[in-house]
Amino acid sequence: MLLAIDCGNTNTVFSIWDGQSFLGTWRTSTEWQRTADQYFVWLSTLMKSRGLDVTIDEVIVSSTVPRVVFNLRVLADRYFGTRPLVVGRADCLLPVPPRVEEGVRPGPDRLANAAGAFDRHGGNVVVVDFGTATNFDVVAADGAYVGGVIAPGVNLSLEALHQGAAALPHVDISRPEKVIGTNTVECIQSGVFWGYTGLVEGIASRIRAEYGTPMKLIGTGGLAPLFAQGDALFDLVEDDLTMHGLTVIHQYNKENA
């Protein structure tokens, strides 16, 4: 049984893959101080609450926070008796190597998104990943990650607005009923929701024009379903795209070891 771990700047996601489907997925805050023992107690408790009695013997990790990787390695070794595959390391093979500037190391989450998107939809795809940052990952016709765009994340922008303007409250993001707000909270929600909708539409349009070919737009990440409400912003929204990409990379390494 495979344990796939995607560690982002804000949250870390754990999913158990049986070769056909995900049996369970859990999310926790990313904290580099968290020990392997703490991870195991947390994960085993959640597995038990779901009635999952499975043996994990393989682990793959994608992490944009290098300091977290050590304890995840210890987790895999101490409790599952395996050496984890870490995306982005030299010993982790990719189905199609990225084509970027020499010396550039794309984020492992972007590599996983590219692998997952190509496996499900083929090439010529743009993945919009709503995380701490809002990433646009461009996947070529052959499945290679060829670059993209990084914009500030939605929650990061909201927090910056709250901290930088003393009179403005912190608000939760939601789709407003109208564009013109009649109070401060509605004004902020409208600015963020429609502002990011415009950002996605504008950047995706420019990527397509620059790339010179029709491209599917796939939304993923926690806020993707929110921005897909009532608008044809995305061709598809897939919450598990990054995790699926990890299973694709893991399988490729098993077959090509």
Side-chain angles (χ1 to χ4, degrees):
M1 203 74 67
L2 173 66
L3 175 62
I5 305 173
D6 177 39
C7 176
N9 289 291
T10 303
N11 292 315
T12 300
V13 181
F14 291 70
S15 291
I16 297 176
W17 174 255
D18 69 355
Q20 299 294 325
S21 61
F22 290 110
L23 302 181
T25 296
W26 301 275
R27 185 180 300 265
T28 186
S29 59
T30 298
E31 297 176 7
W32 68 266
Q33 302 97 328
R34 187 169 290 158
T35 66
D37 301 328
Q38 289 173 316
Y39 278 123
F40 179 73
V41 170
W42 171 82
L43 181 61
S44 58
T45 300
L46 289 172
M47 289 172 60
K48 193 174 296 182
S49 72
R50 290 279 296 272
L52 284 177
D53 184 16
V54 297
T55 299
I56 295 170
D57 53 10
E58 297 175 299
V59 178
I60 184 169
V61 176
S62 163
S63 178
T64 58
V65 185
R67 298 178 78 179
V68 173
V69 175
F70 174 77
N71 283 320
L72 293 177
R73 283 182 177 273
V74 174
L75 169 71
D77 177 64
R78 179 178 298 167
Y79 290 103
F80 306 129
T82 186
R83 183 174 183 268
L85 190 64
V86 180
V87 179
R89 299 290 173 89
D91 61 344
C92 179
L93 305 175
L94 297 172
V96 184
R99 290 196 295 274
V100 293
E101 291 184 11
E102 186 175 352
V104 171
R105 298 178 62 181
D109 53 334
R110 311 188 85 165
L111 299 174
N113 284 344
F118 183 72
D119 183 68
R120 285 180 170 172
H121 309 291
N124 294 330
V125 171
V126 180
V127 178
V128 184
D129 191 347
F130 290 89
T132 304
T134 301
N135 291 335
F136 294 71
D137 305 324
V138 180
V139 185
D142 64 350
Y145 168 80
V146 294
V149 176
I150 301 175
V154 176
N155 288 318
L156 191 64
S157 295
L158 277 170
E159 188 63 30
L161 188 63
H162 170 59
Q163 292 184 0
L168 297 182
H170 179 80
V171 303
D172 293 326
I173 181 63
S174 64
R175 178 192 168 103
E177 295 182 3
K178 53 187 180 179
V179 176
I180 302 173
T182 55
N183 58 60
T184 302
V185 170
E186 288 181 355
C187 289
I188 295 173
Q189 288 176 333
S190 182
V192 171
F193 182 87
W194 295 115
Y196 271 87
T197 297
L199 180 145
V200 171
E201 291 174 332
I203 291 179
S205 175
R206 289 179 178 273
I207 288 173
R208 286 166 169 151
E210 185 172 290
Y211 208 68
T213 186
M215 307 184 81
K216 282 186 178 179
L217 193 65
I218 310 297
T220 193
L223 291 176
L226 171 66
F227 283 92
Q229 290 182 14
D231 288 285
L233 187 60
F234 301 110
D235 293 292
L236 290 165
V237 172
E238 299 185 355
D239 292 340
D240 66 344
L241 185 65
T242 308
M243 306 309 289
H244 177 68
L246 290 179
T247 69
V248 171
I249 294 172
H250 178 266
Q251 185 62 33
Y252 183 79
N253 278 264
K254 286 185 68 174
E255 294 173 354
N256 294 273

